[in-house]
Structure formats: C-alpha cells, structure tokens
Amino acid sequence: MESTKQLWGSRFSKSLDKKTNDFNSSLSFDCVLYKYDILGSIAHTKMLFEQNIISNEEKEKIINALNQILNEINEGKIQFDFEYEDIHTFIEKLLVDKIGDTGKKVHTARSRNDQVALDIRLYLKDEIRNIQKLLINLIKTLISMQDDNLETLMPGYTHLQRAQATTLSHHLGAYVEMFKRDKKRLDDTYSRVNILPLGACALCGTPHNIDRYKTAGYLGFDDICLNSMDAVSDRDFIIETLSSISLIMTHISRMAEEIIIWSSFEFKFVELDDSYSTGSSIMPQKKNPDIMELLRGKTGRIYGSLINILTVMKGLPLAYNKDMQEDKEPLFDSINTIKNSLFILPLVIKTMKINKDNMFNALKQGFIDATDIADYLVKKNLPFRDAHKVSGSIVSYCIKENKTISNLTTDEFKMFSPLFEDDIYEAIDFKNSINAKKVIGSPSIEAMKKVIEINKNWLKDNEV
Ligand code: ARG
C-alpha cells in the first residue's frame, strides 16, 4: 500500500511501521528550517523558469503558493504534521495540496540531499550574523566598563594567587580581545558556510540545464560547491560553526567563573544586581550567582554538540547517509544556547556593583609590590636575576616579621641593598607602579586609553 505521506512510497508495498516512522522523521525538529526551505524553493523555481525548464505560469503558481505557505506558517495557520518525514516533504505536500501537479515540478533538478544542505547553510548565514551582533553588543558593554574603570585598581592573579597590581579596565580588556577574535573567527566560518550546495541533487548532479550560479545569486551565496558529492556529503561547515561557538563559550565560562569568585564572600569584588541573582530556599542570607553558573554549565552542552557531530561524521562513506539527520538537534540547541548566553551576559555585568574599595584593599596584602622592587633595582642597574633575589629576601623578611613591604623603613630596605633610597616608596605605590607600565598592552591609563581608542575604531569596522 502506497503511503501519501512519503515521497518515495511507490516502490514499497507496505507503509512504514508507526514507531519506525516516528523514529525516521525529523520534522519535529527540522520544522525550524521552514522559512529557509521555502526561500530555497522560491530561488530554485525562479532559476528553473529562467532556464526554460518550467513555464512562466508554472513559476508564478509555485512562487505564489510558496509565499502563501510561508505566511500561513508564520501566522500559525498551519500545524506541522509530524507523520511526514521531514520539512522538505511537508512543504512539498502543502504546495501540491494548494496547486496540484504543478507543485510537483519544484523538485525538478533537486533532491532532499542538496535541499537539506542548502537549508542549514541558509539558516546558519542568518544565525552567524545574529551571534555576531550579540558579540558586538557584549564588546561594547565591556569597553564602556573599561572607560569607567581606568583607575579601578585591583590585583592581577596567576595561579589564583595575587601577582601584580592592575586595573579592572585592563582585566576586562583581556575579554574584549577574546570576543573580538571570536567575532572574526565567525567571519571566517561564514565565508565557508556561504557556498551554495543546490544543484548537486542526490549526489551526481542533473541532466537538466540548470544554472547554479543564478540560484546562488538569488540566495546571496558567494560561490557554489564545485563537487556534487562533496556538496551533499559534508557537514564540516556545521562542525566549524560549533567549534567557533565552543570557543565563545570557553571565554564566557572563564568570565562567568571569575564573576562567581569575585562575588563570593571571600572576595566581595562585585555584587550582582538582585534582578540577576537568586536566593536560597533554606539559607536566607544567600545571594547566589546562578546565572553565571548556568553560563559556565551550558558550556558542556555546546562542547557536547561539537563532539556529537564530529563523531557522527567520522568514517561516513560518501555521499549522503541518514546519520547526517543527527546534525540538527545539537546544532539548533547550540545556536539557541549561545544566543541566550550572549544576550544575558552583558545585562549581568553592566548592572553588577563594583566594590572598588575591596578591590584596592586586596592589593595591600600578598606582596603584590615585590616585582616593583625588582624593577626599581633594575633601573638602578642591578641585573634582573639579582634584583629578583633581593626582592625575594625582602618578602621572606616581611613574612617573618609580619610586615608589609610598604611599611618597611628606608633603613630596613638598605639592609638588603645599598641601592635603595627614599624614592622606593614612589616606586611601590600601586598607582605609580601601574602607570609606569606605558608599553601598549599594559595597564597604565595612557596605554589603556590608546587600546580603547583602537578598539572603538575596530567596532566601527566591524558593524554587523
Ligand atoms: N531529513 C533528512 C536530513 O535531515 C533530509 C535528507 C533526506 N534524504 C534522504 N535521502 N533520506 O538529513
């Protein structure tokens, strides 16, 4: 018995077992591609007419019906029937329901194999740009916080141990650079997504005189896939997108982790706004950074999706295999997760209260000025290795005597080197120490202002 719900029923004498049909169908998740499936069909139809493969009347009928279907789905007037195999089958059924046999002509010189590759590429063209817009918004938020915190002194850490004095502006600037690279990486990914697979048909092209460059032009593709088997076989553009997204998530998770640490009772560098933090049902005093923890945690889903699709693709023989239907759920989930994450992060950071006093006070303990002492002695011509030794001995003395470096008298300094003079106190003043670092990339106000300027110009060149 031929089923009307499959495009391939005529070769079969029985319809598909119900459970197997559900297992086989992708419509419950690939329905999100409906717009791209329709736009792809409209461009394909235009090209078929231009190439004298269908008549003007047929073209008009098909395109009008496809536009109607698009509007009806947008308006919620059409419900997806999950008994259909996938979005391509379902849209074609709607088309044939509307205009009869003419609708069947849309599938001339096309297969679902090149159609699905097309739909995902069109979807990703939009979504990559959406993600980039969110990245730019995040970078703008960070730069504006940098402007406000050029003189917000705080410890810089290595091994999560207090290391050297820096500013919040400098610390946030590190993330600006990461997210800038993420934006550029997506530009690069986009250039490989933006290639038309349509015209590959099932795997070996078509005997019909189609013009793939025309279709590419209608859909805004830069180029076409040059091998029809490759066009329908590979999903490297999905893997590459997920890899770029994974790196964004790596950066987000590091920032989230720092904000979690900074908002702990032990640090108290920042306090999250009430609208972006949660309480405990049992401990009334708690203010929890759940949102930051979720950002950190969601990184796992995205890495998981990347590994998922890498594994699905590994060892697959050419060309199309149904395994590849498994690309969609992890991809869609990752795109939604990264967009939500990038949307929420700037809201949380721009509303958090920055406890400048606590950040500054944290500089006072931990011998953050030890490197400044070494640099002071180097300026007085002592080789850095020797200067490092002198400074180390001073730290060890302070620990024994329960003193801080800035509390030592000049005479105490002189016990370690005759090169010390009264100007040592200026050299270890945190502000002076930071502002002595004028080399571009360092935290002095002067150097920071230059970089912020460069990045504001970068923003102008990177409008999405
Ligand atoms: N639903 C399929 C997928 O997502 C579309 C392509 C199906 N092609 C086929 N020959 N079964 O991959």
Side-chain angles (χ1 to χ4, degrees):
M1 186 194 73
E2 183 181 336
S3 164
T4 51
K5 298 202 167 177
Q6 275 107 24
L7 294 170
W8 36 261
S10 60
R11 188 220 176 282
F12 292 80
S13 52
K14 279 186 186 172
S15 62
L16 199 59
D17 166 73
K18 164 89 180 84
K19 279 263 180 230
T20 310
N21 191 45
D22 293 347
F23 187 73
N24 189 48
S25 171
S26 53
L27 187 57
S28 62
F29 47 87
D30 68 15
C31 56
V32 303
L33 294 173
Y34 75 87
K35 182 177 114 190
Y36 303 105
D37 199 74
I38 293 173
L39 294 179
S41 292
I42 290 176
H44 180 66
T45 305
K46 265 192 188 161
M47 182 278 295
L48 289 178
F49 163 68
E50 295 279 325
Q51 295 300 105
N52 294 319
I53 298 169
I54 58 171
S55 70
N56 188 35
E57 196 193 331
E58 287 167 332
K59 175 200 75 173
E60 291 295 315
K61 253 183 157 177
I62 294 173
I63 292 182
N64 284 341
L66 285 169
N67 277 322
Q68 267 177 34
I69 293 168
L70 180 59
N71 289 336
E72 286 166 19
I73 299 179
N74 281 341
E75 289 161 12
K77 289 189 187 146
I78 293 177
Q79 299 303 318
F80 294 106
D81 177 351
F82 295 140
E83 282 194 25
Y84 284 86
E85 193 178 337
D86 52 30
I87 189 62
H88 329 292
T89 312
F90 186 63
I91 300 286
E92 200 177 315
K93 166 238 158 13
L94 295 173
L95 184 63
V96 175
D97 280 355
K98 272 198 194 299
I99 58 172
D101 281 352
T102 310
K104 296 178 184 165
K105 290 207 168 175
V106 74
H107 214 53
T108 310
R110 190 176 77 173
S111 149
R112 281 182 299 155
N113 295 354
D114 56 349
Q115 208 178 338
V116 69
L118 172 74
D119 291 4
I120 306 173
R121 284 177 187 266
L122 286 172
Y123 161 84
L124 278 181
K125 266 152 61 84
D126 276 356
E127 294 298 1
I128 288 176
R129 292 302 186 221
N130 289 336
I131 296 167
Q132 286 181 314
K133 277 187 198 139
L134 290 160
L135 270 172
I136 294 292
N137 179 49
L138 172 60
I139 294 170
K140 282 184 181 159
T141 304
L142 286 167
I143 292 181
S144 117
M145 291 172 77
Q146 281 192 284
D147 270 333
D148 295 342
N149 288 286
L150 284 167
E151 296 185 69
T152 307
L153 271 51
M154 67 179 291
Y157 295 81
T158 63
H159 314 273
L160 205 56
Q161 306 285 322
R162 291 175 190 172
Q164 289 185 9
T166 186
T167 65
L168 181 59
S169 185
H170 187 234
H171 195 121
L172 295 175
Y175 287 102
V176 170
E177 300 307 321
M178 296 179 221
F179 293 126
K180 273 168 60 193
R181 286 195 295 279
D182 290 335
K183 191 276 170 180
K184 286 293 192 192
R185 201 173 283 115
L186 281 174
D187 279 340
D188 207 40
T189 304
Y190 187 94
S191 70
R192 279 178 291 275
V193 168
N194 198 16
I195 312 283
L196 176 93
L198 208 67
C201 302
L203 74 164
C204 282
T206 174
H208 302 289
N209 178 33
I210 61 170
D211 184 340
R212 299 182 61 212
Y213 287 102
K214 244 180 217 161
T215 318
Y218 295 145
L219 291 170
F221 282 100
D222 276 348
D223 208 342
I224 63 170
C225 299
L226 289 179
N227 180 290
S228 60
M229 289 186 77
D230 175 51
V232 292
S233 292
D234 213 346
R235 294 292 182 265
D236 57 357
F237 61 97
I238 296 183
I239 294 172
E240 194 177 335
T241 305
L242 286 175
S243 154
S244 301
I245 291 176
S246 292
L247 274 169
I248 304 175
M249 235 26 220
T250 307
H251 296 148
I252 290 179
S253 74
R254 294 186 75 173
M255 180 177 267
E257 167 70 0
E258 294 208 307
I259 292 171
I260 291 166
I261 294 174
W262 290 355
S263 58
S264 69
F265 209 77
E266 285 71 14
F267 271 73
K268 280 200 188 155
F269 282 4
V270 297
E271 186 183 337
L272 296 179
D273 192 77
D274 282 359
S275 18
Y276 300 108
S277 36
T278 53
S280 157
S281 54
I282 174 164
M283 298 162 285
Q285 85 283 10
K286 291 293 288 292
K287 187 164 179 182
N288 294 330
D290 289 32
I291 308 305
M292 290 293 125
E293 290 165 328
L294 276 173
L295 289 176
R296 191 175 56 182
K298 283 180 189 295
T299 309
R301 300 161 80 109
I302 292 194
Y303 291 1
S305 299
L306 172 63
I307 297 299
N308 181 338
I309 301 184
L310 276 168
T311 312
V312 167
M313 296 308 295
K314 180 197 168 292
L316 275 189
L318 303 188
Y320 177 82
N321 299 271
K322 190 77 167 208
D323 312 46
M324 286 148 74
Q325 181 164 288
E326 285 294 305
D327 59 5
K328 286 169 203 63
E329 287 160 292
L331 175 65
F332 300 156
D333 183 69
S334 298
I335 297 284
N336 290 335
T337 305
I338 192 74
K339 286 198 299 183
N340 288 336
S341 303
L342 283 169
F343 181 79
I344 202 140
L345 180 60
L347 298 177
V348 182
I349 58 175
K350 77 176 166 208
T351 54
M352 70 189 179
K353 186 170 160 264
I354 293 159
N355 293 325
K356 297 188 181 184
D357 287 347
N358 290 348
M359 286 186 169
F360 183 75
N361 289 334
L363 287 167
K364 294 180 184 162
Q365 300 287 325
F367 307 107
I368 262 177
D369 30 16
T371 321
D372 297 318
I373 292 181
D375 284 330
Y376 170 89
L377 294 171
V378 168
K379 284 206 169 146
K380 306 230 164 181
N381 227 359
L382 196 66
F384 184 81
R385 276 286 147 250
D386 297 334
H388 182 280
K389 254 188 215 153
V390 172
S391 176
S393 314
I394 294 176
V395 170
S396 144
Y397 170 81
C398 286
I399 293 171
K400 237 184 274 150
E401 300 291 319
N402 199 16
K403 292 185 172 182
T404 62
I405 294 178
S406 58
N407 287 340
L408 298 180
T409 63
T410 320
D411 286 342
E412 280 175 303
F413 274 116
K414 282 187 189 293
M415 283 162 31
F416 297 93
S417 165
L419 294 172
F420 283 114
E421 284 166 85
D422 281 347
D423 57 353
I424 180 62
Y425 297 105
E426 269 165 51
I428 59 171
D429 173 87
F430 297 122
K431 218 176 190 160
N432 292 342
S433 150
I434 287 170
N435 285 325
K437 290 170 179 155
K438 298 190 194 307
V439 177
I440 192 125
S442 340
S444 68
I445 300 185
E446 193 182 312
M448 286 303 304
K449 279 189 173 162
K450 277 189 202 145
V451 171
I452 291 175
E453 192 53 36
I454 292 173
N455 283 339
K456 284 183 179 166
N457 285 325
W458 181 94
L459 280 172
K460 283 184 204 147
D461 296 339
N462 280 274
E463 298 273 346
V464 185

